[in-house]
């Protein structure tokens, strides 16, 4: 799969590229011209301080927010995403930082939210049995441990909820680009390992390209081929993980943080 | 399979409690007065229950979103007048009825669009609609009582025949249940009411779901207006639509629908309507003083709602208080049959 993908894209166009993305909420300029690209089969880490604009960028790439300016390219072709559905049809899946789960709904309804299996054609009757069986099988396959797919997600622990959100984004076979906004934030070591394994196997076996946002640099170095640093709405550093180190990245973040404080006080 | 059982048991919980209260009330009134269990009272009871049931079903659509439609009762008052006006304008009764229902749906659409796109809370939007519709009815009728437009078959089908209203109500309850629990649209109503952001992030068209719910609510309000017009046989422009609206909301809430959104039950609303109908009819029959009747009815509704809220609190592990203890007892007795690992979290 990976080799095919590489062979096909002989020109080596990045699967996804954004150029000069800007976004403001009212008077607040959150993104000030983000340039970022994602190669086929690559895992890209994105780090940056709280409020740097990482989640906003993810929401734009997944069609949930519309950028004020800039252009997005998929496989080299310019696209304008109008909705989350639109992004999904391009094979883009997302684990949002807030997980996007509905507490009152069962695990399996959450897994299939807005992609329900239905019968009755246009009437769209829920095929609950199929969804329940599928959910159970898939969660079992990826070793996510929950009491039952029928419990409302409000009854699950933080880590379990996170696992459900990741499972939802990875369930589809034709996912091409996976955006993970702090997928490991609430996870214990064992569960985190599980998700890391899942993510790595998706990247290796199915050639899925990924963007991973994480404040834990150890995770970044474990998972990612490349890392980008976002600062005040711009990408300020772009390095292969093998060309840098935990110490260097930490030093970079700390020094730029210092610089920022000096600028602010000046 | 096991899980399905678990879930359905929980949901039926609130519905079951209110159903038991209904049965207890019916037995009480039946024992107290033989008139209550007479056949002729069945038609009276039906006429109490039917409109509340339909409006209750209508409100579940919007309440589950965390919204409310205060104007459904005014749509109820307006709709039979519209058929008359359209007939006067030269339209047949059948065509007039269809156009009327479309107008009622359009009123709901306006409620929904204002709420969704202008960001006005639905409580305020629909309160505005209440006054606007009251004005329209009074102005257009000059405050004079008139007769409904149709006669014969159409009148009989649409509420004229003794049991037609209750049959419509039951059919609408079943339809409401199917839409709400068995279709994608129904699932999305609960999703939007439970977590609007998450629904949006999942690609659900939140605004469209909301507008459709307001449309359905208003449409049902208009329909029940037609039924009651033909049943009563005259149209009174002074009818206070708010009373029926509040009965509908009460039926929905005592049946287990959360005013805060994210949880609704059509079966609960239907049973809630029956309970309210039984209370009203029963109090009438045993001849309680009209003032006392209001007081007792109010307390009964309050009690049922408190129990409902407490049941939910206890179930989610936050419950306390006197009612909480009772609710806990109810839950425990129902839980007795379940397997250990299913009892877990509450
Ligand atoms: N819908 C919104 N309306 C107004 N402001 C917003 C909105 N979404 C984000 N912001 C603002 O944009 C800025 C960037 O937010 P964003 O969530 O993208 O940061 P982040 O880099 O993901 O931070 P964190 O690491 O804390 O998740 C913040 O200052 C935030 O307050
Ligand atoms: Mg974020």
């Amino acid at each position: 799969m990976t080799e095919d993908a590489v062979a096909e894209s002989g020109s080596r166009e990045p699967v996804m590229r954004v150029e000069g993305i800007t976004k403001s909420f009212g008077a607040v300029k959150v993104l000030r011209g983000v340039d970022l690209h994602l190669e086929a089969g690559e895992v890209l880490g994105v780090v940056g301080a709280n409020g740097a604009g990482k989640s906003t960028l993810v929401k734009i790439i997944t069609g949930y927010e519309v950028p004020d300016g800039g252009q997005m390219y998929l496989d080299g072709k310019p696209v304008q995403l109008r909705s989350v559905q639109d992004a999904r049809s391009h094979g883009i899946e997302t684990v949002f930082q807030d997980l996007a789960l509905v507490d009152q709904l069962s695990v399996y309804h959450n897994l299939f939210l807005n992609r329900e299996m239905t019968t009755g054609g246009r009437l769209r009757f829920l095929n609950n049995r199929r969804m329940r069986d599928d959910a159970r099988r898939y969660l079992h396959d990826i070793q996510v441990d929950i009491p039952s797919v029928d419990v409302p997600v409000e009854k699950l622990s933080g880590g379990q909820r996170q696992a459900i959100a990741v499972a939802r984004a990875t369930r589809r076979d034709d996912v091409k680009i996976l955006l993970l906004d702090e997928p490991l934030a609430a996870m214990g070591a064992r569960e985190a390992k599980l998700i890391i394994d899942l993510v790595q196997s998706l990247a290796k076996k199915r050639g899925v390209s990924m963007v991973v946002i994480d404040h834990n640099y150890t995770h970044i170095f474990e998972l990612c081929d490349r890392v980008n640093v976002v600062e005040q709405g711009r990408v300020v550093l772009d390095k292969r993980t093998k060309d840098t180190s935990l110490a260097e990245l930490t030093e970079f973040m700390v020094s730029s943080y210092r610089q920022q404080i000096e600028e602010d006080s000046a | 399979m096991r899980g399905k059982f678990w879930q359905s048991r929980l949901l039926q919980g609130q519905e079951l409690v209110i159903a038991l209260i209904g049965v207890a009330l019916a037995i009480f009134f039946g024992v107290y007065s033989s008139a209550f269990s007479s056949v002729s009272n069945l038609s009276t009871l039906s006429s109490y229950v039917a409109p509340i049931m339909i409006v209750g079903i209508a409100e579940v659509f919007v309440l589950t979103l965390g919204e409310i439609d205060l104007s459904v009762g005014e749509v109820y008052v307006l709709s039979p007048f519209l058929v008359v006006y359209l007939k006067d304008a030269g339209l047949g009764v059948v065509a007039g009825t269809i156009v009327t229902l479309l107008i009622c749906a359009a009123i709901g659409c306006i409620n929904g669009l204002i709420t969704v796109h202008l960001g006005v809370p639905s409580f305020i939007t629909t309160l505005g609609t209440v006054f606007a519709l009251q004005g329209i009815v009074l102005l257009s009728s000059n405050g004079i009582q008139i007769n409904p437009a149709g006669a014969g078959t159409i009148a009989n089908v649409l509420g004229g025949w003794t049991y037609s209203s209750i049959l419509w109500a039951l059919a609408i309850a079943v339809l409401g249940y199917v839409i709400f629990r068995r279709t994608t649209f129904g699932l999305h109503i609960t999703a939007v009411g439970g977590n609007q952001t998450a629904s949006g992030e999942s690609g659900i068209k939140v605004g469209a779901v909301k507008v459709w719910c307001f449309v359905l609510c208003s449409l049902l309000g208009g329909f029940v207006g037609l039924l009651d017009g033909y049943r009563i046989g005259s149209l009174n422009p002074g009818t206070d639509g708010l009373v029926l609206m509040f009965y509908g909301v009460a039926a929905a809430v005592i049946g287990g629908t959360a005013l805060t959104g994210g949880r609704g039950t059509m079966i609960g609303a239907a049973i809630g309507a029956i309970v309210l109908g039984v209370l009203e009819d029963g109090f009438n029959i045993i001849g309680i003083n009209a003032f006392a009747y209001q007081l007792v009815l109010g307390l009964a509704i309050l009690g049922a709602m408190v129990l409902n809220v407490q049941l939910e609190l206890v179930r989610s592990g936050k419950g306390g208080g006197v009612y909480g203890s009772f609710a806990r007892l109810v839950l425990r007795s129902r839980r007795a049959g379940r397997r250990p690992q299913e009892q877990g979290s509450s």
Side-chain angles (χ1 to χ4, degrees):
Chain A
M1 174 79 199
T2 315
E3 278 150 58
D4 284 354
V6 172
E8 256 172 54
S9 59
S11 55
R12 287 218 128 280
E13 279 284 5
V15 281
M16 189 266 297
R17 183 160 65 90
V18 297
E19 240 178 41
I21 296 286
T22 55
K23 177 76 186 176
S24 302
F25 292 108
V28 188
K29 283 193 180 130
V30 177
L31 300 180
R32 302 158 183 257
V34 173
D35 299 320
L36 171 148
H37 65 105
L38 180 66
E39 304 292 343
E42 179 188 45
V43 181
L44 172 68
V46 173
V47 297
N50 294 123
K54 306 179 295 295
S55 297
T56 307
L57 180 61
V58 160
K59 285 177 187 163
I60 287 172
I61 299 174
T62 200
Y64 180 70
E65 297 275 10
V66 181
D68 299 334
Q71 181 65 53
M72 176 168 166
Y73 303 86
L74 292 174
D75 294 321
K77 285 189 273 301
V79 289
Q80 224 102 43
L81 299 179
R82 280 177 307 269
S83 66
V84 177
Q85 292 295 55
D86 213 5
R88 279 179 177 173
S89 70
H90 285 100
I92 301 175
E93 289 288 336
T94 312
V95 176
F96 290 95
Q97 188 167 7
D98 69 4
L99 304 183
L101 299 174
V102 179
D103 279 348
Q104 291 88 341
L105 295 183
S106 66
V107 169
Y108 74 90
H109 276 149
N110 268 289
L111 269 179
F112 286 90
L113 191 57
N114 204 26
R115 285 185 267 203
E116 296 84 0
M117 292 174 163
T118 57
T119 57
R122 295 259 309 151
L123 288 174
R124 316 237 296 135
F125 287 115
L126 298 169
N127 192 340
N128 285 324
R129 181 175 307 171
R130 254 189 79 200
M131 286 192 275
R132 186 183 290 122
D133 290 347
D134 251 57
R136 195 176 293 141
R137 198 172 326 114
Y138 182 64
L139 292 176
H140 179 80
D141 286 351
I142 63 171
Q143 299 173 39
V144 170
D145 195 19
I146 50 158
S148 148
V149 293
D150 294 282
V151 294
V153 296
E154 67 192 343
K155 306 242 160 174
L156 299 182
S157 73
Q160 287 172 326
R161 293 160 54 84
Q162 216 150 7
I164 300 302
V166 174
R168 171 165 68 185
T170 56
R171 191 183 53 82
R172 252 174 71 187
D173 283 332
D174 53 350
V175 48
K176 278 173 59 189
I177 298 173
L178 190 57
L179 310 171
L180 301 159
D181 195 348
E182 304 196 25
L184 305 172
M187 295 216 158
R190 196 190 75 86
E191 287 78 11
K193 180 81 176 73
L194 217 75
I195 298 299
I196 289 173
D197 287 350
L198 174 68
V199 165
Q200 277 175 335
S201 85
L202 279 173
K204 298 272 147 27
K205 291 202 199 102
R206 278 156 56 182
V208 178
S209 319
M210 291 182 213
V211 176
V212 179
I213 295 173
D214 205 315
H215 288 289
N216 182 331
Y217 299 163
T218 319
H219 288 153
I220 294 284
F221 278 92
E222 190 172 349
L223 275 170
C224 304
D225 305 307
R226 198 155 54 86
V227 59
N228 279 7
V229 177
V230 176
E231 210 168 81
Q232 297 188 320
R234 274 195 201 90
V235 174
V236 293
L237 183 82
D238 179 7
K239 281 218 161 175
R240 308 207 135 263
T241 40
K242 64 171 188 271
D243 298 336
T244 181
S245 66
L246 195 58
E248 190 189 4
L249 189 61
T250 312
E251 173 53 31
F252 179 84
M253 297 300 288
V254 171
S255 67
S256 71
Y257 178 65
R258 248 187 238 121
Q259 196 183 332
Q260 206 177 303
I261 289 177
E262 276 158 28
E263 272 171 23
D264 285 353
S265 57
Chain B
M1 276 295 103
R2 155 167 72 80
K4 186 181 182 181
F5 175 71
W6 179 88
Q7 198 185 31
S8 59
R9 269 303 278 275
L10 260 191
L11 245 185
Q12 280 172 8
Q14 281 133 350
E15 299 159 3
L16 205 70
V17 171
I18 192 67
L20 289 178
I21 292 174
V23 171
L25 283 171
I27 291 174
F28 168 76
F29 289 124
V31 169
Y32 195 94
S33 157
S34 59
F36 184 82
S37 41
S38 69
V39 177
S40 71
N41 184 48
L42 201 60
S43 65
T44 314
L45 188 57
S46 305
S47 71
Y48 283 126
V49 170
I52 302 176
M53 191 180 288
I54 298 175
V55 174
I57 297 289
E59 287 288 356
V60 171
F61 283 110
V62 281
L63 291 177
T64 307
L65 291 171
E67 307 284 353
I68 193 166
D69 184 354
L70 300 177
S71 68
V72 65
E74 310 308 325
V75 176
Y76 156 92
V77 178
L78 174 67
S79 76
F81 280 97
L82 286 177
V83 186
V84 176
Y85 300 155
L86 288 165
K87 189 182 169 197
D88 291 347
L91 227 58
V93 175
V94 175
T97 301
I98 293 169
V99 173
T100 293
L101 291 176
L102 288 176
I103 293 172
C104 295
I107 294 169
C109 188
I110 293 169
N111 282 338
L113 289 174
I114 291 176
T115 302
V116 170
H117 292 290
L118 301 184
V120 182
S122 55
F123 188 94
I124 305 296
T125 312
T126 58
L127 188 60
T129 312
V130 167
F131 294 125
L133 293 183
Q134 274 177 351
I136 290 173
V137 171
L138 289 173
L139 277 175
S140 63
S141 67
N142 283 319
I144 296 164
Q145 213 159 313
I146 54 174
N147 292 326
T153 311
I154 188 156
N156 281 330
V157 171
L158 290 179
W161 178 58
T162 318
Y163 294 106
S164 93
S165 291
I166 192 72
L167 289 180
W168 276 112
L170 292 172
I172 287 169
V174 171
L175 192 67
Y177 171 84
V178 170
I179 292 175
F180 197 71
R181 292 229 79 87
R182 298 279 168 231
T183 70
T184 314
F185 173 62
L187 184 69
H188 290 182
I189 298 173
T190 306
V192 170
N195 187 339
Q196 188 167 324
T197 310
S199 300
E201 287 172 344
S202 305
I204 293 173
K205 295 197 182 71
V206 172
V209 170
K210 285 193 175 186
V211 171
W212 273 111
C213 286
F214 279 100
V215 167
L216 284 176
C217 185
S218 240
L219 180 65
L220 288 173
F223 185 70
V224 74
L226 299 181
L227 294 183
D228 261 11
Y230 288 120
R231 182 180 64 80
I232 297 164
S234 77
L235 312 178
N236 182 354
T239 307
D240 187 354
L242 289 175
V243 176
L244 179 61
M245 181 276 297
F246 277 123
Y247 269 90
V249 171
V253 173
I254 65 178
T257 295
L259 277 169
T260 44
R263 192 165 47 84
T265 145
M266 292 291 178
I267 294 178
I271 299 172
I274 294 173
V275 169
L276 291 180
V278 166
L279 268 180
E280 187 159 11
D281 182 40
F283 284 157
N284 265 334
I285 284 181
I286 64 178
I288 264 191
N289 170 303
F291 302 143
Y293 161 69
Q294 288 291 343
L295 177 64
V296 174
L297 188 65
L299 290 177
I301 291 175
L302 198 63
M305 291 206 191
V306 168
L307 179 63
N308 177 317
V309 172
Q310 289 294 325
L311 267 175
E312 182 55 25
L313 285 179
V314 169
R315 225 185 54 185
S316 56
K318 297 170 206 144
V322 183
Y323 267 98
S325 321
F326 176 60
R328 219 168 285 127
L329 263 177
V330 173
L331 276 178
R332 199 170 302 145
S333 63
R334 282 193 300 111
R335 210 183 272 143
R338 267 189 249 147
R339 295 188 199 183
Q341 81 245 52
E342 292 161 357
Q343 303 184 359
S345 24
S346 48

